[in-house]
Structure formats: structure tokens, C-alpha cells
Amino acid sequence: MNAQISFLNGTYTLIHIPLDLYSTLLQPILRVLLPQTQNLNVSQPSPEHELEGLSAENQHGFLNISVTPLECSVVCHSSWAMNVFLPFINTLPPDVAKNVIVFQGSYMVLSIISAGVDAAGRVIELSSPLALAGIPIFFITTYYSDFILVPSKERRNVIKALSSHGFELSENQSDFVNSFVYGRKNSTGQSVSPPSTPPPSNASELQARTFDLLQKRHVSPFAADGLQLVQCSGREISQLNNSCCHRSTGRQALTMDHRQSWIENVDTKLYTCIISALVSRPRFMSLTLAQDDPPSLLLDRKLLPLFGDSIVGDIDTSFVPIFLDLVNLSSGVTGIVCGVAGRLVQDMHMIETSELSYLSTARAGAVILTEEQSARALSILQPLLEKEG
């Protein structure tokens, strides 16, 4: 039982878009989603203006676009935030622009491939070393992998925290990333260089602090009426290439010339469905693009007819998100993911086959459980977060 954790190349930016401005910001959202559109930016034609964060096939190294009942949240390479979102935001009236929050400071993205690690324990195992070290994180579960955003300035502390909790560090020069491979090892329980507020010394203290803070900031967990989600994915691009018809010799030369273009390396049917869903102002949709994975989607079940056979996955299983509105907390708060997930796993006596995942957005969080588990989870969280007196 092990997992590999890698730093993705580049730095990333987190953006909060209020729902009442979602339609206003849809144009830059779609420009980021469709990187080929940047080739048409004739006002900046020189190579030095090319946007970073793309692979040789012009695919995003990492991108998350999430629309929830609380907000729209985007995680994109900092180059795209600076050159696509910020210029657009600056064209808005000042009283409107101030409501769109581009988070200060950049983030690194940790990619986790955790085959063989049970879903219920995975979130805790990955987040607890960082929480106990006082490092703030954002956690995103996808169909294939998990991703953790950590402040770029905390890179050395992240490495120390993981190493001190039984993670072995090995350098992978060919991929230019640091990789951690872990099994079921005993944690040393040591913390790394502490921030100004000493981090908790153990999981129990972490949970107590987390729920005390959430209660003081009036964070009430809730499930949106009638909202059911499905976890699914696009197909591997190799599967699509195998189904393509053969081109003539004359066309073949043209194809070779454009092999590295974005349009040649994506499922255009899937992207048409994604755009249709985004334009429909979905109640819930979270899309994650990562260079080594097919597109991953967490969808409102009502959106399924838009996608037809362009997605794969277990669409018979429904999930229910429990939302935590964290608008009154700073982005530097630590322990929310680990504290909440840990309490649920503990009180619900979750086993290895139990499903639990987490989605962090810019100013909110969502614990994602099966329908059967969600009602029980709410009954645990609500009394813990009720204001006394």
C-alpha cells in the first residue's frame, strides 16, 4: 500500500469569483479552458508573451474550475492569472472588480497517485502531516488522483513535514520533481519549523482547534437540497486516436505539422460538452485538468444528459457534498481538511471501502460522501458547530 507524491512544475494562483459575477467572468474562464485561443492574441504576438504552464501538446499542467452553490473558484498557472484574468478584471468597474479575489502569493501543486490507499483514510494521511506542521493547504480529489495546493514559500517546510511523518524522499531527475513514496509507517509525530502560532502537537488537539475555530466563525455545515453528484472522467486520448479514421497522404503532412497543437490532443466532443455545462450556469461542476490524467469531472447529476457518451465512470453511484462556507476565515488557516475529515472517519467508524473525498475551493470546502453517509455526517458535524448559549 503506497502512493507517490510529486511537485508539479510551475506556480499556481487561486481565484474567487462570486456567483453573481460568474457570467461576467465566463469569457476569461473559457479562454483559460481553451488555451488554443491564446494563439489569436495578435496584440502580443512575440514569443516572450507566450503563456507558461502548458505541456509540449499545449495541455495545462494543472487547472481546476469549480462552480458550487457558494462560489466559482479557479486554480490556474500564475501566468494565466496574470495575463488572462487580471487584464479582464481591470476592465470592470472598481466596485465590481473588488469582489473578484485573486489570492496574493503563489501556490505549488502536489500530485498524489494513491493506488491501494483506502478512500476514507487517504485524505487524512495526506493532509495530517502538513496540518500538524502548521502549513495551510487546499485539497482537491479527482477521479484519478488527489492534488494539494500549498504556499510556494512553504516548499522546504512541506518536504520536512512529509519526511518527519514517515515519507521517504527520492529525487526523480528525469521528471524534475521530488517524489515521496510512503507505506504504513509509524509517524515520528515531530513538527517542522513552527509558524508564529505553534501548531497542534497531535491529531486530537488539531481536531479540537479546528472545531473551536469553525464554531467561533459561525461555520455551519449544510447539504444543498436535491444536489447529487457523479464522479466521472473523459477518455484517454490514446483511445480517441485509435478510433480516428486514416487520413490521405496529402492530409497526413498537414497533420504532422500540427501534431503539437491543442486541438489535435483533446477530445473535442468532451470539450464541447464541458463548455455547454459551463455556459448553463451549473449548480455544481468541478473540472480538473492535469497533464498526466484524462479530464476529471465531479458533476451535478442533472448535467449528465449534456455529456452523453463522452464520459466514463460509475454514474450509478451518487455522492452528496456537505459544504462549509469559509468566507470568514483567512486562506492561511490550517487543519480544516484534516480536522473535519478526521472527525468523520473517527465517529463514523469508516472502513477501507468507505468513500470520502474533499474539494477545497477558494473560500469554501466540501466533504463528499455517498448518499447514505452524508446524512449521518451532517448529524455529527451540526452539533459540533452549533454556537453554545
Side-chain angles (χ1 to χ4, degrees):
M1 183 181 299
N2 56 53
Q4 179 172 302
I5 307 179
S6 305
F7 285 110
L8 300 185
N9 291 327
T11 59
Y12 294 81
T13 297
L14 185 58
I15 303 170
H16 159 77
I17 301 170
L19 290 179
D20 60 351
L21 294 179
Y22 172 73
S23 297
T24 303
L25 273 291
L26 187 57
Q27 194 262 2
I29 291 173
L30 294 181
R31 283 187 65 189
V32 172
L33 176 64
L34 311 177
Q36 182 162 303
T37 60
Q38 302 312 307
N39 297 333
L40 304 179
N41 190 357
V42 294
S43 65
Q44 296 181 340
S46 56
E48 62 265 23
H49 291 294
E50 291 183 2
L51 293 171
E52 302 173 12
L54 300 178
S55 68
E57 294 80 21
N58 287 316
Q59 305 297 308
H60 283 286
F62 183 81
L63 173 68
N64 176 266
I65 300 170
S66 294
V67 184
T68 75
L70 292 170
E71 64 176 334
C72 174
S73 174
V74 177
V75 180
C76 62
H77 193 281
S78 296
S79 175
W80 292 78
M82 180 67 65
N83 294 289
V84 176
F85 276 100
L86 281 178
F88 187 91
I89 293 169
N90 289 337
T91 67
L92 301 175
D95 60 329
V96 175
K98 69 180 182 181
N99 296 313
V100 181
I101 300 174
V102 179
F103 281 47
Q104 296 296 315
S106 64
Y107 291 84
M108 302 178 303
V109 176
L110 296 172
S111 170
I112 302 102
I113 302 172
S114 50
V117 181
D118 65 273
R122 186 179 65 236
V123 176
I124 302 169
E125 286 198 38
L126 296 171
S127 62
S128 61
L130 303 176
L132 290 171
I135 299 171
I137 70 168
F138 292 85
F139 199 102
I140 299 174
T141 304
T142 74
Y143 190 83
Y144 294 98
S145 309
D146 296 296
F147 298 92
I148 300 177
L149 276 70
V150 294
S152 297
K153 64 183 181 181
E154 297 281 3
R155 182 185 180 97
R156 296 184 67 178
N157 288 338
V158 168
I159 293 173
K160 289 179 182 178
L162 292 173
S163 298
S164 70
H165 283 76
F167 291 69
E168 293 181 351
L169 174 64
S170 63
E171 194 72 16
N172 185 340
Q173 296 288 355
S174 63
D175 292 335
F176 304 102
V177 296
N178 294 318
S179 298
F180 301 87
V181 179
Y182 75 89
R184 294 286 186 179
K185 298 187 177 183
N186 291 328
S187 168
T188 65
Q190 298 173 352
S191 60
V192 299
S193 303
S196 55
T197 300
S201 58
N202 54 54
S204 296
E205 184 182 348
L206 171 65
Q207 282 188 25
R209 285 194 191 185
T210 296
F211 283 95
D212 181 62
L213 176 63
L214 293 176
Q215 186 186 81
K216 288 179 178 178
R217 298 301 175 88
H218 307 284
V219 177
S220 298
F222 71 94
D225 290 342
L227 180 61
Q228 297 181 339
L229 308 181
V230 293
Q231 183 82 262
C232 50
S233 165
R235 293 183 175 83
E236 293 276 1
I237 196 66
S238 59
Q239 297 174 345
L240 300 169
N241 290 339
N242 292 339
S243 65
C244 291
C245 60
H246 296 288
R247 294 180 172 92
S248 64
T249 304
R251 293 288 299 273
Q252 193 171 16
L254 179 64
T255 303
M256 291 294 289
D257 291 340
H258 292 272
R259 180 170 293 175
Q260 300 306 309
S261 71
W262 176 83
I263 199 70
E264 294 287 345
N265 292 281
V266 298
D267 180 351
T268 52
K269 180 178 179 181
L270 174 65
Y271 272 75
T272 301
C273 299
I274 291 171
I275 293 169
S276 298
L278 289 172
V279 171
S280 74
R281 296 195 60 169
R283 191 180 183 195
F284 188 106
M285 175 178 173
S286 183
L287 165 71
T288 302
L289 304 180
Q291 184 173 333
D292 296 328
D293 294 341
S296 178
L297 290 153
L298 185 62
L299 293 172
D300 182 348
R301 176 172 286 281
K302 293 179 180 178
L303 293 173
L304 282 178
L306 291 177
F307 286 83
D309 63 354
S310 64
I311 54 176
V312 295
D314 179 13
I315 61 173
D316 293 328
T317 301
S318 293
F319 297 92
V320 174
I322 297 175
F323 295 103
L324 300 168
D325 188 348
L326 306 178
V327 66
N328 293 324
L329 277 66
S330 87
S331 59
V333 168
T334 62
I336 303 298
V337 177
C338 181
V340 173
R343 187 58 181 259
L344 291 177
V345 169
Q346 171 188 307
D347 288 9
M348 295 174 67
H349 307 290
M350 288 187 171
I351 58 176
E352 290 192 359
T353 57
S354 299
E355 293 286 346
L356 183 151
S357 56
Y358 197 96
L359 174 66
S360 294
T361 55
R363 303 180 75 175
V367 184
I368 300 161
L369 302 152
T370 61
E371 286 186 275
E372 295 78 12
Q373 293 172 324
S374 63
R376 187 177 171 198
L378 265 180
S379 69
I380 292 171
L381 293 177
Q382 285 175 335
L384 291 170
L385 296 176
E386 289 177 355
K387 193 70 174 176
E388 294 180 0

